[in-house]
Amino acid sequence: MSIKKHYIILVTLSFSLILQQAAAQAKRIISLSSAISETVNALGYGKSILATDVTSVSPEEINRLPKVSRNRSFSVESITAFRPDLILVPEGDFSKENLYQFKSLGIRVVSIRQEFSVEGATKFIRQIATAIGDKARGEQLAQKTENSVNTTLSQLKKGNKAPKVLFIYARGVGTMNVAGKGSSIDAIIKLAGGKNAIQEFSDFKPYTTEALVKSNPDIILMFDFGLSSLGGREAFLELPGVAYTNAGKNKRIVEMNGPLLINFSNRLPEAIKTLNNRIL
């Protein structure tokens, strides 16, 4: 075979692969978590998102999109109305019945597992990029994120002792929970140089005054909307038991943007740096 013919074949094959990749890429996406939506957008496919869940509020162009969930409840009918070719959903959020319904309609559903670590963040990015059909861009963003995290960790402020941080999730006084081991909050507190004040249980459990006083945190961390739902910083300091903790005595009540704090994807470096600056 001549060099010229060999070159023509290579060019033809390359062009064919490019066309196949373009055809395989998702063009009509429903993204059902803040971290997924932000990652799809960071990969350059924000304009392919048709609708999101209620937690997807960042960036603003994503927040303006239609919502297909109320609280964490999804409507199959409202999702299918958008005629998506790809639904990206956190692992476990769809029932087997939901998955069967979408499959029967020819809609591809990819369940995305999120692990709360630096490695987990890069895996999360790669999972989403693979689902969309653009592994190359996913690899670029994953490596960029990993490098940025490593740089951020090397530049963190450090104290003589890691402060004990208690995270409280609030939706008004009637709905308050604290974060235990193994949660996304537990992981981000450790990465930022703090220590989770709750070590007795995993995930989230209802808040009690007794548990608050017993844990005696140096800092109380909340989502910004959670603190607002309790009436703000001064109102929170007046809640029973708060004044008996180091955090209450020193008025160390820290609030952070919720989607940023639990992103564990491309915005992980920003989350680590921001929290570190506020607790140390």
Side-chain angles (χ1 to χ4, degrees):
M1 184 183 296
S2 68
I3 294 176
K4 184 177 180 181
K5 286 184 178 180
H6 184 70
Y7 176 76
I8 291 172
I9 290 172
L10 283 175
V11 170
T12 303
L13 286 172
S14 298
F15 185 67
S16 177
L17 287 170
I18 290 170
L19 288 177
Q20 288 177 28
Q21 183 184 31
Q25 284 177 354
K27 297 178 176 64
R28 300 179 63 81
I29 302 170
I30 300 287
S31 57
L32 298 177
S33 86
S34 60
I36 291 175
S37 299
E38 289 177 19
T39 304
V40 173
N41 189 64
L43 286 165
Y45 290 90
K47 291 183 178 179
S48 297
I49 301 177
L50 307 172
T52 67
D53 73 317
V54 293
T55 71
S56 299
V57 296
S58 180
E60 182 55 35
E61 55 267 29
I62 297 297
N63 188 36
R64 289 196 295 264
L65 291 171
K67 307 301 179 187
V68 291
S69 71
R70 181 173 296 174
N71 296 324
R72 293 300 297 167
S73 175
F74 303 105
S75 165
V76 172
E77 291 76 18
S78 63
I79 291 174
T80 55
F82 285 94
R83 297 180 293 108
D85 55 25
L86 174 65
I87 300 172
L88 296 170
V89 61
E91 187 178 64
D93 276 18
F94 276 172
S95 67
K96 289 183 178 179
E97 182 183 359
N98 293 150
L99 294 171
Y100 176 79
Q101 287 175 298
F102 289 121
K103 184 177 180 180
S104 66
L105 293 169
I107 300 172
R108 186 162 63 101
V109 176
V110 177
S111 296
I112 306 295
R113 183 179 183 184
Q114 192 164 30
E115 300 171 11
F116 306 121
S117 64
V118 177
E119 182 182 2
T122 57
K123 284 171 66 177
F124 185 77
I125 292 167
R126 291 185 176 103
Q127 284 183 78
I128 293 172
T130 298
I132 292 173
D134 196 342
K135 286 186 178 181
R137 197 171 291 186
E139 190 61 33
Q140 290 173 0
L141 183 59
Q143 290 184 8
K144 179 182 177 182
T145 300
E146 184 176 9
N147 292 337
S148 182
V149 168
N150 289 335
T151 299
T152 298
L153 291 174
S154 70
Q155 296 173 348
L156 292 183
K157 294 188 293 184
K158 293 179 173 61
N160 295 326
K161 183 181 178 182
K164 281 202 300 181
V165 182
L166 176 69
F167 175 81
I168 300 176
Y169 175 85
R171 284 284 191 183
V173 177
T175 305
M176 296 173 69
N177 293 279
V178 294
K181 297 184 295 183
S183 64
S184 59
I185 299 297
D186 178 64
I188 194 67
I189 288 172
K190 290 176 183 175
L191 284 170
K195 178 183 178 182
N196 188 0
I198 300 294
Q199 297 294 313
E200 293 78 19
F201 56 81
S202 300
D203 296 322
F204 288 80
K205 285 193 175 182
Y207 164 96
T208 66
T209 301
E210 292 75 18
L212 168 68
V213 175
K214 182 181 177 182
S215 65
N216 189 25
D218 300 309
I219 296 163
I220 293 174
L221 172 65
M222 303 182 71
F223 291 151
D224 46 13
F225 65 77
L227 186 58
S228 295
S229 76
L230 297 175
R233 187 185 310 273
E234 294 306 316
F236 179 79
L237 288 168
E238 295 299 320
L239 290 180
V242 175
Y244 294 100
T245 67
N246 290 334
K249 293 171 185 175
N250 297 308
K251 298 186 176 183
R252 296 294 309 277
I253 313 301
V254 172
E255 59 181 306
M256 265 190 67
N257 175 265
L260 172 62
L261 196 62
I262 61 173
N263 174 267
F264 273 92
S265 182
N266 60 293
R267 291 213 290 164
L268 180 58
E270 181 186 353
I272 294 171
K273 183 177 181 180
T274 302
L275 183 56
N276 175 257
N277 283 335
R278 295 184 185 181
I279 66 175
L280 287 167

